[in-house]
Amino acid sequence: MENILNNPDELRKVRAALLNILEDTDDLRRSAVDERNKTTAIIENLTDGVILLNRKKQIEIINSSAVDLFSLDKKTAAGMCFLDLVNRDNANQFRSILIDEDKKRIKSTYREGATAINDLHFEITSVLLKDNEEEKGFLIIFHDVTKEKLIEKMKTEFVSVAAHQLRTPLSAIKWTIQMILDGDSGEINEEQRDLLGKTYLSNERMIVLINDLLNVSRIEEGRLLYNQEISQLEDIVEEIINSSGELIKIKKMNVDYKKPEKLLPKVKVDKEKMGVVIQNLLENAIKYTPESGNIKITIESDNKNVIFKIKDSGVGIPKNQQDRIFTKFFRAENVTRMETDGTGLGLYTTKNIVQAHKGEIWFESEENKGTAFYFTLPINK
Ligand code: ADP
């Protein structure tokens, strides 16, 4: 084979090809640098704080928002171990969210708890970065939700004040109608009695709504107080069933409740709030079950909990809406079509009260067959 070095033509071609390759590589390098600069500019200018950690949990990238959030400067932050960062005085609020103390590792979380630092609230997301199952590091995002929190607080306060203001005139209307119905202001005829009776019921519905709203705003402000005493859940259940007698009779419901033969273990509850829970569940079972339907209530215990169950033969909850049932103001499509009244606040309140007693609440339901709600309360040891 002829030596290429002796062939000026070939040499020229090779040189041209090499120059081309160099030019392409240079272009590629330049566009990679451009891309990197763009990404850095985006991360740098995000209003969310962003921190990228390498496999050794050292800070690889930290943007200005995150630097400000931790009162650091970029130089100190670069390469700093993340555990040292969350151990700083102004950051230990984040520690509990981000560090699994048992396993001494960073947790993966999604928008967890708005934590306050200098009165600021954040939602924190941390994502484990992987490449072919190999851990590459962590991306941690601090999303500032201070404004949303403030608006939420103002909204709750507004509802609370409005509801309080409405309660007094509504009570006045209630007592006035009651007095007229009782004949305190003279005889009334049947038609007047009928009209006043309807007004009385509408007014009662409004009072229920206002009380629901007040309970919700108390829950949200953390002001719903619990006066807990050692109690027998059976007694509370019985009292509520008795007080709903009229409603049960009107709808001709068959309510099956047999008091357990042996006394159940005692529970520590706020009797009034637990009454609200049982009343909500019973009223729903009556409301969402057609006339002459069946309702079965049982209370049992295992070695940890007392378990309450209420099962109805009603309209059920559509499968595709079941995950929203405990959210505020939510009412399933099948019941809004039935024109029953309701606020969608009962189960939200119920769940909060049960959870405040360290219990759990859940349900099973099938449309047009029925629904069973369960809740547990820890036994008082
Ligand atoms: P409300 O009864 O005022 O609408 P709740 O918060 O008590 O509000 O209940 C929320 C929704 O859950 C109801 O609107 C209804 O769609 C559904 N639901 C609750 N209990 C039952 C039940 N026993 N049977 C069928 N649907 C129910």
Side-chain angles (χ1 to χ4, degrees):
M1 206 170 70
E2 200 190 335
N3 191 335
I4 201 172
L5 292 172
N6 296 332
N7 186 335
D9 253 5
E10 278 301 308
L11 262 183
R12 228 172 286 126
K13 275 192 215 153
V14 170
R15 182 169 173 271
L18 272 178
L19 280 178
N20 268 340
I21 293 173
L22 274 180
E23 216 171 285
D24 288 353
T25 322
D26 206 35
D27 282 351
L28 282 174
R29 191 187 57 83
R30 223 173 303 149
S31 70
V33 170
D34 275 357
E35 281 306 317
R36 197 195 57 199
N37 288 346
K38 257 192 256 169
T39 315
T40 315
I42 293 171
I43 294 177
E44 185 55 25
N45 291 301
L46 280 176
T47 48
D48 286 359
V50 176
I51 297 179
L52 182 73
L53 302 178
N54 64 18
R55 201 177 317 141
K56 292 184 190 150
K57 304 188 185 72
Q58 290 159 330
I59 297 177
E60 205 158 280
I61 297 177
I62 180 163
N63 71 354
S64 298
S65 304
V67 164
D68 291 346
L69 170 58
F70 288 97
S71 315
L72 281 170
D73 59 76
K74 281 227 164 158
K75 262 204 199 126
T76 326
M80 188 174 192
C81 178
F82 187 67
L83 293 174
D84 293 336
L85 183 69
V86 286
N87 273 338
R88 289 159 61 98
D89 281 348
N90 63 352
N92 48 25
Q93 298 94 325
F94 295 146
R95 195 186 163 99
S96 58
I97 293 184
L98 284 164
I99 309 292
D100 180 343
E101 301 289 352
D102 289 344
K103 299 194 186 119
K104 290 272 168 270
R105 43 175 306 152
I106 299 176
K107 290 193 262 186
S108 289
T109 55
Y110 177 68
R111 291 200 161 183
E112 191 163 340
T115 310
I117 249 195
N118 315 331
D119 280 338
L120 297 177
H121 292 267
F122 291 92
E123 277 180 2
I124 301 170
T125 302
S126 76
V127 189
L128 173 61
L129 305 174
K130 276 186 175 176
D131 192 5
N132 283 332
E133 292 307 302
E134 194 195 338
E135 291 190 13
K136 283 279 178 202
F138 260 95
L139 176 66
I140 303 173
I141 301 165
F142 300 85
H143 179 51
D144 186 345
V145 289
T146 312
K147 218 173 179 175
E148 286 89 330
K149 279 270 153 194
L150 193 69
I151 293 171
E152 214 174 278
K153 188 165 169 255
M154 283 163 60
K155 209 175 64 188
T156 311
E157 277 168 8
F158 168 75
V159 171
S160 166
V161 170
H164 265 295
Q165 297 296 328
L166 283 169
R167 209 152 62 156
T168 322
L170 287 176
S171 303
I173 295 172
K174 176 186 168 114
W175 297 122
T176 312
I177 300 177
Q178 187 70 63
M179 278 166 68
I180 303 175
L181 281 172
D182 289 348
D184 291 358
S185 58
E187 279 289 301
I188 54 170
N189 65 31
E190 267 317 296
E191 193 186 349
Q192 287 165 332
R193 177 172 300 281
D194 189 42
L195 287 173
L196 279 173
K198 283 181 183 142
T199 315
Y200 183 87
L201 285 181
S202 298
N203 192 61
E204 282 288 287
R205 282 219 296 272
M206 236 170 343
I207 293 175
V208 170
L209 168 63
I210 297 294
N211 284 337
D212 279 356
L213 283 174
L214 276 176
N215 274 339
V216 168
S217 59
R218 284 191 197 115
I219 288 170
E220 304 206 324
E221 289 173 349
R223 282 190 304 112
L224 194 60
L225 296 180
Y226 294 93
N227 244 331
Q228 306 207 0
E229 354 168 11
I230 315 270
S231 326
Q232 215 56 58
L233 190 65
E234 303 93 298
D235 294 344
I236 307 177
V237 171
E238 227 161 283
E239 203 175 298
I240 297 296
I241 296 179
N242 289 338
S243 71
S244 306
E246 195 58 27
L247 201 60
I248 294 170
K249 211 161 74 193
I250 293 173
K251 263 197 102 174
K252 305 193 185 73
M253 300 305 255
N254 306 303
V255 177
D256 171 6
Y257 167 67
K258 280 188 202 71
K259 198 173 173 167
E261 277 171 16
K262 270 205 271 167
L263 272 189
L264 288 171
K266 290 188 172 23
V267 285
K268 195 171 173 195
V269 294
D270 179 312
K271 285 187 178 169
E272 188 202 322
K273 309 278 182 319
M274 209 30 76
V276 171
V277 166
I278 294 158
Q279 177 119 25
N280 276 338
L281 295 176
L282 177 60
E283 270 177 16
N284 281 349
I286 300 173
K287 204 158 56 166
Y288 303 124
T289 302
E291 221 176 83
S292 312
N294 301 315
I295 296 174
K296 186 169 179 176
I297 299 172
T298 46
I299 324 177
E300 296 163 356
S301 66
D302 58 21
N303 49 13
K304 281 195 187 134
N305 296 303
V306 170
I307 308 143
F308 174 91
K309 174 180 176 187
I310 177 164
K311 187 172 188 305
D312 64 55
S313 61
V315 297
I317 304 169
K319 276 268 166 321
N320 64 352
Q321 305 193 327
Q322 292 192 352
D323 53 344
R324 296 163 68 191
I325 247 21
F326 291 107
T327 29
K328 239 183 317 177
F329 297 114
F330 184 77
R331 308 196 66 220
E333 228 167 50
N334 60 337
V335 314
T336 48
R337 266 189 270 123
M338 280 163 57
E339 282 185 71
T340 48
D341 10 272
T343 58
L345 293 174
L347 286 180
Y348 172 81
T349 310
T350 299
K351 182 172 182 171
N352 272 282
I353 297 177
V354 171
Q355 286 178 338
H357 286 87
K358 301 193 169 47
E360 282 177 53
I361 180 164
W362 71 97
F363 64 88
E364 290 158 0
S365 182
E366 200 176 326
E367 224 180 332
N368 299 320
K369 287 237 166 98
T371 306
F373 271 91
Y374 303 78
F375 73 82
T376 61
L377 290 172
I379 291 171
N380 182 58
K381 294 248 160 82

